[in-house]
Amino acid sequence: MNVHGRKLLRHVENGFPVLPTGCAIELDKVSQEIVLANMRDTVARNKAKIISLYNRVERPSSLKKFLDETELHLEELYKNNLYFTQIKRESGVLKDEQTDEEKTFGRSIIRSIHIDSISRLKWGIEFFSTSKKPSGESLNSIQTLFLKMWASNFGEKDEISQLGNLLTRFWAYPELVKEYQELMEYLLNKVTHKTKFWENSAKVPLEVHSRYSRDEIMSAFNDIRDGKLYQPREGVYFHKETKCNLLFVTLNKSEKDYSPSTMYHDYAISDTLFHWQSQSNTKPTTTKGKRHVEHIENDITPLLFIRNKRRDERGETEPYFFVGPVDLKDWEGSQPINIVWKVQEPLPADIYKATAINNN
C-alpha cells in the first residue's frame, strides 16, 4: 500500500469524512471490518516494505517527518525488531554496522512507545537531548526514579543499580539517543487524554490514567533487592514500605497463558465502579484477604492497574493502564473474594467501554 493508500485506509476507518457534497458511502460494521482487514493486510508489515517506504519519501532524517509523511502508526514501525536507526542503516543513510548491543537497545525502544506520562515524557526529552552523557548525580528524587524506569527497559537486571555504566553504554550509540529523544517528543505531541500526578507521601512518580509496564511500575516504587529490580509474578503485590496493594488485572485472559484458577472475572460496572476477583485461594480472614476488605482500617492503599490482554498485536507485552487508588465499596464470598472497588478518578470513556465488555 502506498502513501496515498494509507490515507484511504484512514478514510475508511473514519467513515469517509471528506467525500464531495452529495456523495455518501455507508458500510455496516461487519463490512467495514472486512474491508479494513483486507486493506491492513497490504500495509507495510515487514522490514523490506518499511525500508521501501522510507526510500520512497526521500529518507527523512527525523522520526517525526517519516511518520508524518507516511502516516505510519508507531505500532506499524516499531515491531519485528525494527526501529528507526535500523531503517536508516538498512537504507544506506548510516554506514556503520549494527552491533548486538545496539540491537538490544533497539528492542528496548520498541518496548517504549506506550509512554504517555506527560511529566516523564518532558523529562525524557530534556535528559536525552545532549550529545554528552549526562550525570545522574544531579537528578532529584523523582527524576532519579524516572531514570530507573528507563533503565528497567534498557539495561540488564542488575544495571538498574549501575546507572552510570548503563548510560555510558547507551550514549555510545548517538543515533539511538537521538531516536529515543525524538520518540519522546513525538509521544508528547500525541497525548490526547488527561493524566494526573498521583499524590502520595512516598513520592512514587506515577500518573493516574497513564500506561506503564510492570517493570516500570516496580521501578517507580524503587523496589530493588540485591541490586536487581524485584519482579512479582502474581497479580497482587503488597509493597510493605508504602503500604500499597498493587492489583494487576488482565481483562481478556488466554487459557494458553493463564491457568483455570487465575481466569478471574474482572470488569467495569460503571466509570467509577470496578468488579474484581481476588486470587482463587484468598479468604477474607487471611492477611491477604484483610488487605482487601479491611484496607481502610489497616491504612492500606489499593492501586488498580488494568490491561486488555497479555500481549499486543505486535507480540509485545502490553502495558498496564493505571486506574489509580480505589476504595472498597462492597465484597462477598471467599476463595475467591468478589469485590467492588470505587474508583477515585473516573475511567475515561474509551477505557470504560473496553473494560465493560467483559460484563457481557
Side-chain angles (χ1 to χ4, degrees), residues 12-28:
V12 176
E13 289 175 331
N14 296 315
F16 302 97
V18 291
L19 290 174
T21 303
C23 296
I25 298 177
E26 293 186 8
L27 296 174
D28 60 69

Side-chain angles (χ1 to χ4, degrees), residues 272-288:
T272 58
L273 296 177
F274 191 90
H275 180 277
W276 176 82
Q277 278 189 344
S278 72
Q279 293 160 303
S280 59
N281 61 350
T282 304
K283 300 178 181 180
T285 54
T286 63
T287 299
K288 287 185 177 181

Side-chain angles (χ1 to χ4, degrees), residues 203-357:
K203 296 185 178 179
V204 177
L206 296 178
E207 290 183 38
V208 175
H209 296 178
S210 286
R211 287 176 169 82
Y212 302 94
S213 69
R214 187 176 299 203
D215 284 353
E216 289 172 334
I217 295 166
M218 299 308 296
S219 300
F221 277 88
N222 203 28
D223 200 334
I224 300 170
R225 308 179 187 185
D226 298 324
K228 298 180 181 180
L229 181 67
Y230 181 68
Q231 298 173 309
R233 298 302 177 189
E234 296 184 334
V236 178
Y237 172 66
F238 181 62
H239 189 255
K240 294 180 181 178
E241 289 77 6
T242 60
K243 299 190 72 173
C244 289
N245 211 20
L246 281 57
L247 314 176
F248 295 104
V249 174
T250 300
L251 296 166
N252 296 305
K253 301 175 179 66
S254 166
E255 293 183 6
K256 175 183 176 182
D257 298 322
Y258 297 87
S259 66
S261 64
T262 59
M263 301 288 281
Y264 308 129
H265 197 198
D266 309 314
Y267 54 88
I269 299 171
S270 70
D271 63 348
T272 58
L273 296 177
F274 191 90
H275 180 277
W276 176 82
Q277 278 189 344
S278 72
Q279 293 160 303
S280 59
N281 61 350
T282 304
K283 300 178 181 180
T285 54
T286 63
T287 299
K288 287 185 177 181
K290 289 180 179 179
R291 288 175 187 157
H292 304 315
V293 301
E294 298 178 6
H295 78 88
I296 296 177
E297 297 89 327
N298 293 318
D299 196 29
I300 291 173
T301 303
L303 299 175
L304 182 60
F305 300 87
I306 60 177
R307 64 181 177 184
N308 182 38
K309 50 190 175 182
R310 185 178 181 183
R311 297 192 181 276
D312 62 22
E313 300 303 323
R314 302 172 300 151
E316 299 293 335
T317 301
E318 188 169 298
Y320 289 92
F321 177 84
F322 182 33
V323 175
V326 293
D327 297 311
L328 180 71
K329 179 174 176 56
D330 198 7
W331 70 272
E332 65 178 7
S334 177
Q335 295 182 284
I337 309 171
N338 288 282
I339 294 178
V340 175
W341 296 112
K342 181 173 176 56
V343 177
Q344 292 185 11
E345 293 291 332
L347 295 172
D350 59 332
I351 299 296
Y352 167 57
K353 181 178 179 181
T355 58
I357 291 175

Side-chain angles (χ1 to χ4, degrees), residues 137-156:
E137 297 177 358
S138 61
L139 301 177
N140 61 34
S141 60
I142 297 295
Q143 293 168 338
T144 299
L145 290 174
F146 282 159
L147 182 57
K148 290 182 178 181
M149 293 168 76
W150 170 81
S152 72
N153 283 330
F154 279 81
E156 301 296 331

Side-chain angles (χ1 to χ4, degrees), residues 78-83 101-112 153-154 311 314-316:
Y78 286 103
K79 66 177 184 178
N80 299 329
N81 297 319
L82 188 63
Y83 48 97
E101 184 173 60
E102 185 198 282
K103 289 180 182 179
T104 300
F105 283 139
R107 285 280 302 145
S108 299
I109 292 179
I110 292 171
R111 293 194 295 266
S112 302
N153 283 330
F154 279 81
R311 297 192 181 276
R314 302 172 300 151
E316 299 293 335

